[in-house]
């Protein structure tokens, strides 16, 4: 309870600071491209009925993409981290593709999957897949040999070592990858929605921009920020449930 | 039955640049219920010997038998206790204690009962829902012991289990180890850096030479197991004897390369 209050106060403080900064910059710039916060919030209220469904589209897309990236990337990364043979075969494949900016594949995805949800989700999922895979691989490698040894001495087979030691041992790092990935996901969401569709917050912002309705655009940006915060907090909540030991002894 | 027979055991690690001989022909025989402390300088292969006994490392040459059977993998009633990391940080005290039984697919109720018994014996029954990070160093070692007890181990292999503890906690746990050994009559192999600990807990004390490890001497220690052995003249004499032996062992190898 105390933690929740502390957290709320933290967000409130950050919001006040950002709003003051924004207001200051807006007055300083004196340009329609950066409206004062009040105008943006007025648009949030005015466009509320339009914003809510777009928010819903975007949230579902990001959530689906993160789930796919996690469910495919994490197990694969853990396996690569623990099996030298698998790493020899698939490691180079991963690292060959890892530095390529995946957004350049959006045109290809549009051809294969068409305009809409599938392309947007696929693009974000591919990017998160690589981020999570590389983190999970390193985390699996860093698991202390003594942990594995002690469980093996109890008679554990490879699968039991994997489920009892590797998976929980790498879990905190995987959550870190997810948190970092949440930021990337929202950024890519904006790009892909503005190119590959006519729904979602990315499209909302891009559309308002095209119509030179800057206050409306910032209403969309505020909604995106909210989406990011909700994702981040959802991941935090999941981690505190799954990795209870991390909070112990502190 | 957990009698131990080690015959001409040698282990060579394949290093990055060269092969590293860790053990160069070790012989050791232990009767069921015996207790041996292994002492020697760092890198004399003490831990390697334990890993081979635990079935976690295939010998390069020689024979390792426990209970009359050659060791080819982890044995059902052998328990290995490591200095640290032996406990899984993501499992609670109770989950750590019952881990061995879980891995062996014992039913939940049975393993819970065994683990609770074991935790009771080491004095941790009030802390079952804590995580290892919430325990003191001494309590963690007690938990590692409880895991071995829950498995009903008849061979306890301990790799410097107490070396990270402060002096008082250490004596406390030495007493616990001794009490459990006298009570349960398991076979115990303890690797240690401490002369006093070796004399207090080993009915035999094995002195090993530096790399590649060999048995330099086996010191019989019949006084071990008596209550208040630590306060007796015999204890001090035994420690002094061991210290002389170790010194001469070190002196033998100064600047020399063990062949």
């Amino acid at each position: 309870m105390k933690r929740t209050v502390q957290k709320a106060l933290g967000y409130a403080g950050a919001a006040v600071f950002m709003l003051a900064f924004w207001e200051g910059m807006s007055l300083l710039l004196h340009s329609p491209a950066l409206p004062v916060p009040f105008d943006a919030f007025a648009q949030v209220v005015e466009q509320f009925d339009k914003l809510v469904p777009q928010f819903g589209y975007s949230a579902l897309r990001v959530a689906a993409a993160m789930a796919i990236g996690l469910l495919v990337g994490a197990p694969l990364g853990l396996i690569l981290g623990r099996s030298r043979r698998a790493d020899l075969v698939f490691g180079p494949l991963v690292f060959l593709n890892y530095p390529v900016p995946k957004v350049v594949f959006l045109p290809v995805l549009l051809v294969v999957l068409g305009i809409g949800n599938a392309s947007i989700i696929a693009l974000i999922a591919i990017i998160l897949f690589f981020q999570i895979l590389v983190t999970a691989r390193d985390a699996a490698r860093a698991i202390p040999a003594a942990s594995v040894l002690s469980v093996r001495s109890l008679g554990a087979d490879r699968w039991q070592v994997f489920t009892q030691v590797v998976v929980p041992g790498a879990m905190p790092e995987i959550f870190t990858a997810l948190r970092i990935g949440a930021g990337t996901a929202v950024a890519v969401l904006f790009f892909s929605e503005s190119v590959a569709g006519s729904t979602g917050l990315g499209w909302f912002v891009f559309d308002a921009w095209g119509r030179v309705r800057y206050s409306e655009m910032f209403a969309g940006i505020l909604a995106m920020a909210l989406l990011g915060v909700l994702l981040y907090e959802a991941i935090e909540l999941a981690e505190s449930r799954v990795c209870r030991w991390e909070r112990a002894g502190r | 039955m957990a009698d131990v027979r080690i015959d001409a055991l040698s282990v060579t690690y394949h290093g990055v640049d060269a092969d590293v001989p860790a053990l160069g022909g070790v012989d050791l025989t232990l009767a069921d219920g015996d207790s041996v402390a292994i002492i020697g300088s760092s890198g004399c292969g003490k831990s390697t010997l334990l890993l081979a006994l635990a079935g976690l490392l295939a010998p390069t040459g020689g024979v390792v038998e426990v209970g009359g059977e050659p060791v080819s993998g982890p044995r059902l009633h052998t328990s290995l206790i490591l200095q640290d990391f032996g406990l899984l940080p993501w499992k609670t005290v109770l989950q750590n204690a019952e881990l061995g039984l879980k891995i062996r697919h014992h039913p939940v109720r049975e393993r819970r009962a065994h683990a609770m018994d074991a935790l009771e014996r080491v004095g941790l029954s009030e802390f079952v829902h804590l995580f290892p990070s919430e325990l003191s160093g001494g309590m963690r070692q007690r938990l590692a012991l409880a895991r071995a007890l829950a498995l009903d181990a008849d061979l306890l292999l301990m790799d410097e289990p107490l070396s990270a503890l402060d002096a008082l906690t250490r004596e406390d746990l030495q007493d616990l180890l001794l009490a459990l050994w006298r009570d349960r009559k398991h076979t115990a192999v303890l690797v240690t850096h401490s002369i006093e600990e070796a004399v207090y807990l080993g009915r035999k004390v094995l002195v090993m030479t530096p790399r590649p490890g060999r048995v330099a001497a086996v010191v019989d220690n019949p006084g071990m197991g008596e209550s208040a052995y630590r306060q007796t003249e015999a204890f001090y004499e035994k420690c002094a004897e061991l210290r002389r032996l170790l010194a001469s062992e070190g002196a033998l190898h100064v600047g020399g390369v063990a062949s």
Side-chain angles (χ1 to χ4, degrees):
Chain A
M1 201 51 216
K2 199 178 154 208
R3 289 174 68 96
T4 320
V5 172
Q6 277 177 346
K7 200 166 233 177
L9 282 175
Y11 273 120
V16 168
F17 177 82
M18 274 313 296
L19 288 175
F21 181 72
W22 179 359
E23 180 90 34
M25 286 306 286
S26 172
L27 294 175
L28 214 69
L29 266 180
H30 203 70
S31 153
L34 188 61
V36 290
F38 181 81
D39 291 351
F41 280 100
Q43 281 301 314
V44 172
V45 175
E46 197 166 307
Q47 305 282 335
F48 195 73
D49 290 345
K50 261 167 91 184
L51 265 174
V52 169
Q54 307 309 338
F55 187 94
Y57 280 124
S58 290
L60 284 178
R61 284 167 185 160
V62 176
M66 290 186 87
I68 294 169
L70 175 69
L71 292 178
V72 184
L76 223 62
L78 294 179
I79 291 169
L80 291 193
R82 294 312 298 184
S83 157
R84 196 173 304 172
R85 211 175 308 161
D87 200 45
L88 274 177
V89 177
F90 297 106
L93 209 61
V94 169
F95 287 104
L96 209 61
N97 285 295
Y98 184 54
V100 175
K102 259 63 74 179
V103 285
V104 301
F105 295 128
L106 186 56
V108 183
L109 287 172
L110 288 177
V111 170
V112 178
L113 299 170
I115 285 182
N117 281 329
S119 290
I120 295 167
I121 291 172
L123 182 67
I124 301 171
I126 291 169
I127 291 169
L128 293 181
F129 163 81
F130 278 99
Q131 286 184 354
I132 293 168
L133 181 143
V134 170
T135 312
R137 174 178 172 272
D138 288 353
R141 284 182 149 195
I143 281 169
S147 287
V148 176
L149 218 54
S150 92
V151 176
R152 276 186 55 209
S153 81
L154 297 172
D157 54 31
R158 280 190 80 142
W159 174 246
Q160 285 171 324
V161 168
F162 197 74
T163 55
Q164 303 296 317
V165 183
V166 177
V167 172
M171 204 53 94
E173 258 93 330
I174 291 173
F175 272 108
T176 301
L178 266 183
R179 259 195 297 270
I180 296 171
T184 318
V186 175
V188 177
L189 181 80
F190 167 74
F191 171 74
S192 55
E193 280 183 340
S194 58
V195 175
S198 50
T199 51
L201 290 175
W203 169 81
F204 184 94
V205 170
F206 197 69
D207 178 61
W209 189 359
R211 293 183 285 112
V212 211
R213 298 286 302 270
Y214 290 116
S215 297
E216 218 174 288
M217 181 178 116
F218 270 88
I221 293 173
L222 282 171
M224 279 192 139
L226 179 66
L227 176 61
V229 168
L230 289 180
L231 280 174
Y232 192 87
E233 286 301 324
I235 295 165
E236 286 273 284
L237 186 69
E239 178 168 14
S240 71
R241 287 281 160 82
V242 177
C243 304
R244 280 203 308 132
W245 71 91
E246 278 197 310
R247 291 208 312 211
R250 241 188 261 159
Chain B
M1 287 293 276
D3 50 314
V4 171
R5 191 173 76 88
I6 296 175
D7 196 20
L9 171 68
S10 65
V11 174
T12 302
Y13 288 113
H14 299 292
V16 180
D17 296 322
D19 287 355
V20 184
L23 287 178
V26 170
D27 301 315
L28 173 68
T29 309
L30 288 176
D32 183 43
D34 209 348
S35 155
V36 64
I38 302 176
I39 195 165
S41 54
S42 304
C44 70
K46 304 182 296 263
S47 303
T48 305
L49 183 59
L50 280 198
L51 291 183
L53 263 172
L56 292 174
L57 186 141
T60 314
V63 182
V64 181
E65 279 180 11
V66 176
E69 308 229 342
V71 173
S72 58
R75 180 177 161 271
L76 210 56
H77 289 289
T78 297
S79 193
L80 176 67
I81 297 177
L82 302 166
Q83 187 197 115
D84 209 350
F85 297 115
L87 303 171
L88 299 181
W90 41 84
K91 292 191 182 289
T92 62
V93 166
L94 181 60
Q95 289 169 337
N96 264 295
E98 65 179 14
L99 183 61
L101 297 167
K102 184 180 179 185
I103 280 168
R104 285 150 199 202
H105 307 291
H106 287 243
V108 180
R109 194 175 302 172
E110 184 199 319
R111 68 187 194 228
R112 197 125 299 178
H114 273 88
M116 283 307 295
D117 275 355
L119 288 169
E120 188 100 25
R121 291 186 85 154
V122 300
L124 283 181
S125 52
E126 287 168 47
F127 307 100
V128 288
H129 295 302
L130 296 186
F131 287 101
S133 60
E134 298 169 286
L135 303 178
S136 70
M139 287 161 93
R140 276 181 227 178
Q141 248 4 99
R142 285 171 183 270
L143 176 52
L145 256 172
R147 186 158 81 188
L149 300 182
L151 275 179
D152 202 19
D154 57 11
L155 175 59
L156 241 61
L157 308 171
M158 295 168 275
D159 193 0
E160 298 183 36
L162 311 182
S163 65
L165 304 178
D166 64 85
L168 286 177
T169 313
R170 196 172 174 152
E171 285 208 0
D172 192 33
L173 272 159
Q174 287 169 352
D175 290 340
L176 177 64
L177 281 177
L178 187 66
L180 287 171
W181 177 75
R182 290 209 302 200
D183 183 38
R184 299 180 72 243
K185 300 175 174 56
H186 54 255
T187 310
V189 181
L190 171 80
V191 164
T192 177
H193 268 126
S194 152
I195 291 172
E196 284 76 18
E197 187 166 294
V199 173
Y200 191 60
L201 292 175
R203 194 148 65 179
K204 283 179 186 162
V205 180
L206 204 77
V207 180
M208 289 184 68
T209 65
R211 205 172 310 210
R214 282 207 186 86
V215 179
V218 180
V219 178
D220 280 317
N221 183 24
M224 174 266 180
E226 282 172 21
S227 39
Y229 185 35
R230 269 203 209 93
Q231 280 83 49
T232 63
E233 198 68 28
F235 181 79
Y236 286 110
E237 273 167 25
K238 200 52 87 176
C239 288
E241 180 189 342
L242 211 57
R243 197 164 277 123
R244 277 195 301 276
L245 240 164
L246 281 164
S248 72
E249 207 41 57
L252 274 176
H253 291 276
V254 167
V257 178
S259 54

